[in-house]
Amino acid sequence: MSYLRTFLPWIVFAVVPSAQWQWGALAGLLVAVGVVAQQRCTGVGFDALIMEAGSAVFFAVLAVVSFADSHSAVHAYSAALSSVTLALISGASLLAGKPFTLGIAKRTTPPEVWSLKPFVRVNVVITTVWTAAFTVTAAALAALAHAGQGHSTAATLVQAAGFVVPMLFTVRYVATVQARAKANG
């Protein structure tokens, strides 16, 4: 559920028809701001909202660009730019030593394990996989956009795979790590 909440603005943007991309950008912005506000009201710190805050900034910029010129060349590459942004946010979180998945994992993990090296290491691995997936997705979407297929069925499938593959990895990797910990514990 936490990943769904984290990526909800991107999902909303993706389901709005590309012909109305400015409204998709605005909807993504409103959802991102709503998620950040709702989470802050429940006491979640900004350090646990890295992806959500970055999403709000992206959608704010995209909304301004898209409403200023709904026929902007940015439109053709908006899906690729979305994945580039996600890759940059997740990569920057790794470089800063605060993998974005830590904030998500902390929501379902007892506080006593948050600072343990294995917990942090698992989140570094998971965030690295998400970063790689976003990067590969961005490259594939940019190639599709360059070929005039930026909003095609193929692009939609690439975008979906860019979320499903790292999500499946996350679930399986966490389960494997937990099983090893129980076996060794």
Side-chain angles (χ1 to χ4, degrees):
M1 184 61 167
S2 292
Y3 281 98
L4 180 62
R5 179 177 40 242
T6 298
F7 294 116
L8 187 58
W10 303 93
I11 294 166
V12 168
F13 177 65
V15 299
V16 173
S18 68
Q20 285 86 36
W21 71 300
Q22 66 272 34
W23 297 106
L26 183 60
L29 171 60
L30 294 174
V31 170
V33 169
V35 167
V36 170
Q38 184 272 329
Q39 290 295 291
R40 291 289 296 145
C41 285
T42 63
V44 176
F46 277 114
D47 64 324
L49 297 169
I50 295 168
M51 189 61 73
E52 294 85 341
S55 298
V57 170
F58 172 79
F59 285 116
V61 171
L62 191 63
V64 168
V65 168
S66 64
F67 277 103
D69 180 7
S70 63
H71 301 292
S72 169
V74 171
H75 180 233
Y77 289 88
S78 61
L81 290 171
S82 296
S83 291
V84 165
T85 300
L86 290 166
L88 289 172
I89 295 168
S90 58
S93 77
L94 282 170
L95 291 174
K98 303 252 188 230
F100 85 89
T101 60
L102 269 175
I104 296 168
K106 286 179 179 180
R107 295 173 189 172
T108 59
T109 308
E112 56 269 12
V113 301
W114 293 356
S115 61
L116 298 178
K117 287 184 180 185
F119 179 73
V120 174
R121 178 70 187 138
V122 163
N123 281 282
V124 167
V125 170
I126 293 169
T127 300
T128 300
V129 168
W130 279 94
T131 303
F134 293 143
T135 302
V136 169
T137 301
L141 290 170
L144 285 167
H146 185 72
Q149 300 296 312
H151 300 287
S152 63
T153 300
T156 300
L157 294 173
V158 167
Q159 280 183 298
F163 283 97
V164 171
V165 170
M167 193 170 294
L168 290 174
F169 170 82
T170 299
V171 170
R172 290 183 179 162
Y173 183 63
V174 168
T176 300
V177 168
Q178 289 173 338
R180 282 188 199 148
K182 284 181 184 178
N184 295 330

